[in-house]
Structure formats: structure tokens, C-alpha cells
């Protein structure tokens, strides 16, 4: 299973765009990249998932370069309610029995 | 409303007692999972089940047991053999092979 590395913490201000980068140098061909958000004392919530290039939904964008050794979660115009821990996960869920490997995540703090 | 319920939200037990945490889902998902989260850490997989009457150990299964007699239910028993049971326990479910897992609200277990 691919190991991921992401910053422990980040600070931002309301209205700014936030980019959180995740390194996954040993990503395998069948692996997908998935991001989750977790608020204190709650279960994580799925944000976005991608395999290559760019994926966008109503919440975020995910940028994946051609070599797929890293990925960047982009949150446009953050608000105070985006303060949370963001996890980057890499894996082939279909063939690994649904096992998700959560690292320590990035604690994002949005200030007014 | 479809979703995952976990009960109770807070649970207190004396050392040496077994305790069972409830997890129910009405999403018609085949796969269910149990994770443990310690303060400041990511989630770690305890057990998972991809189909009724079948389950597999995750990374930290020692001291825990599960059953999957019904598709909707996946209870977790924390036995007295678990050396450090105090933690936040999260249950999740997903469609087979899907990258999006849906998490319950969690049960915070304190053993003294």
C-alpha cells in the first residue's frame, strides 16, 4: 500500500484559496487518490477522488501530475467552517478489500 | 434518511469488562468497517467485512471481535484482552469496491 506524506498543519484566512499537497512516491498503477475531511469528534467525510489530471466537484479540485507521485487538494475561498483535518489516501480499494490507510492528515486552521 | 448510526455516543467501562459497540446502516452497502482513532492520530482499521457472515482482520485486530450476521449490522466487541481500549471508534460502510466510505458519528469509549 502506498505511503503518503502531507504537511502536519496549515494556516489560512477566510476567502483565500488553500492548496494541500500530498506526496505518494510509490503509488501503483491501479491506485486511486482519495481525500477525506474530518471535523473534531466526527467521522471523516469523503471530499474527492481521482486517478490522473484534474478532478473538480462542488467542494474542491484535485490536481494530479502526469507522474502521479503527488497530488494537490485545492479548496477555493475557504471559510471558518473549513477548519478541519484533511487526509490523503492512496490505494486500489477494489483489490485491497476496501482497506483505506489513513495517515496523520493535515490540520487546516482558517482564521477570520 | 439513509445513513449509519452508532450507539452510544459515549461509553464508560471498568477495566476487565467486555463491551459491544453498535453499528447499523440502511444504505444497503455490502461492505462495513471498524476504525479506531487515538488523539491527534489518523484512523486505524480494526476489522472489515465485505459480505454477510464474512470478515477480515485489519491492522490492529488483537483484543477485538466482530460479527456480521445481517447486512445492516456490524457490532464490535472490545474485549478485556485489548490493552488500551480507550479511544474514538468509527464505523463505516461502502458499496463493494467503492472509494467513498460513509462514516457514522463515532463512539467514544473510556475504560478506567
Amino acid at each position: 500500500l502506498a505511503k503518503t506524506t502531507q504537511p502536519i498543519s496549515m494556516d489560512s484566512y477566510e476567502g483565500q484559496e488553500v492548496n494541500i499537497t500530498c506526496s505518494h512516491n510509490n503509488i501503483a498503477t491501479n491506485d486511486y487518490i482519495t481525500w477525506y475531511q474530518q471535523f473534531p469528534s466526527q467521522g471523516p467525510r469523503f471530499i474527492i477522488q481521482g486517478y490522473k489530471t484534474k478532478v473538480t466537484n462542488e467542494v474542491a479540485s484535485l490536481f494530479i501530475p502526469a507522474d502521479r507521485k503527488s497530488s494537490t487538494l485545492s479548496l477555493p475561498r475557504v471559510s471558518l467552517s473549513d477548519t478541519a483535518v484533511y487526509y490523503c489516501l492512496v490505494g486500489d480499494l477494489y483489490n485491497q478489500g476496501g482497506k483505506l490507510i489513513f495517515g496523520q492528515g493535515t490540520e487546516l486552521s482558517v482564521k477570520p | 434518511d439513509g445513513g449509519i448510526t452508532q450507539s452510544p455516543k459515549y461509553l464508560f467501562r471498568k477495566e476487565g469488562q467486555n463491551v459491544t459497540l453498535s453499528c447499523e446502516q440502511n444504505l444497503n452497502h455490502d461492505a462495513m468497517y471498524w476504525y479506531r482513532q487515538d488523539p491527534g492520530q489518523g484512523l486505524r482499521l480494526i476489522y472489515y467485512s465485505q459480505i454477510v457472515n464474512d470478515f477480515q482482520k485489519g491492522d490492529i485486530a488483537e483484543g477485538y471481535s466482530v460479527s456480521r450476521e445481517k447486512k445492516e449490522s456490524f457490532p464490535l466487541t472490545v474485549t478485556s484482552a485489548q490493552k488500551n481500549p480507550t479511544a474514538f471508534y468509527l464505523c463505516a460502510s461502502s458499496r463493494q469496491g467503492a472509494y467513498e466510505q460513509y462514516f457514522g458519528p463515532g463512539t467514544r469509549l473510556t475504560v478506567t
Side-chain angles (χ1 to χ4, degrees):
Chain A
L1 299 173
K3 178 179 165 56
T4 60
T5 303
Q6 49 183 126
I8 296 292
S9 64
M10 293 181 68
D11 291 330
S12 182
Y13 291 93
E14 280 191 292
Q16 288 187 333
E17 177 185 77
V18 171
N19 296 308
I20 306 174
T21 297
C22 179
S23 297
H24 28 80
N25 291 320
N26 60 340
I27 189 170
T29 302
N30 293 332
D31 287 347
Y32 278 71
I33 299 154
T34 311
W35 286 80
Y36 278 78
Q37 173 193 57
Q38 186 180 25
F39 298 111
S41 297
Q42 294 186 27
R45 182 176 72 104
F46 173 90
I47 302 174
I48 198 166
Q49 173 233 309
Y51 184 80
K52 61 180 179 180
T53 62
K54 176 184 174 183
V55 180
T56 297
N57 61 22
E58 63 278 5
V59 176
S61 294
L62 179 60
F63 298 92
I64 306 168
D67 66 6
R68 303 200 327 123
K69 293 185 184 299
S70 67
S71 58
T72 299
L73 175 73
S74 181
L75 305 172
R77 296 183 299 282
V78 294
S79 64
L80 296 176
S81 62
D82 292 314
T83 293
V85 178
Y86 292 83
Y87 295 98
C88 165
L89 292 83
V90 172
D92 176 10
L93 225 64
Y94 186 79
N95 288 314
Q96 66 195 41
K99 292 175 68 173
L100 294 179
I101 307 296
F102 285 81
Q104 271 195 296
T106 297
E107 187 168 3
L108 173 65
S109 178
V110 180
K111 300 181 169 81
Chain B
D1 277 339
I4 301 181
T5 56
Q6 291 184 244
S7 60
K9 191 168 178 63
Y10 297 95
L11 191 54
F12 298 89
R13 280 293 183 271
K14 294 289 187 187
E15 199 173 307
Q17 293 179 331
N18 291 355
V19 59
T20 297
L21 281 57
S22 166
C23 177
E24 304 278 330
Q25 56 98 0
N26 60 4
L27 299 167
N28 200 32
H29 286 165
D30 288 308
M32 296 188 73
Y33 314 83
W34 273 105
Y35 295 88
R36 168 187 172 133
Q37 187 172 36
D38 293 288
Q41 303 296 315
L43 283 69
R44 291 185 290 168
L45 183 65
I46 305 173
Y47 268 99
Y48 63 104
S49 167
Q50 293 181 286
I51 196 167
V52 174
N53 292 323
D54 187 50
F55 47 83
Q56 286 77 42
K57 293 181 179 180
D59 300 317
I60 54 165
E62 187 176 345
Y64 299 98
S65 67
V66 294
S67 63
R68 186 86 187 277
E69 297 175 3
K70 296 188 299 181
K71 188 175 185 179
E72 306 79 31
S73 179
F74 191 40
L76 172 75
T77 296
V78 184
T79 75
S80 56
Q82 168 50 232
K83 294 189 184 347
N84 297 296
T86 294
F88 187 45
Y89 290 88
L90 287 156
C91 178
S93 71
S94 73
R95 292 181 288 110
Q96 278 291 356
Y99 286 84
E100 181 172 358
Q101 291 188 6
Y102 293 79
F103 284 81
T107 291
R108 193 168 296 280
L109 173 65
T110 301
V111 177
T112 57

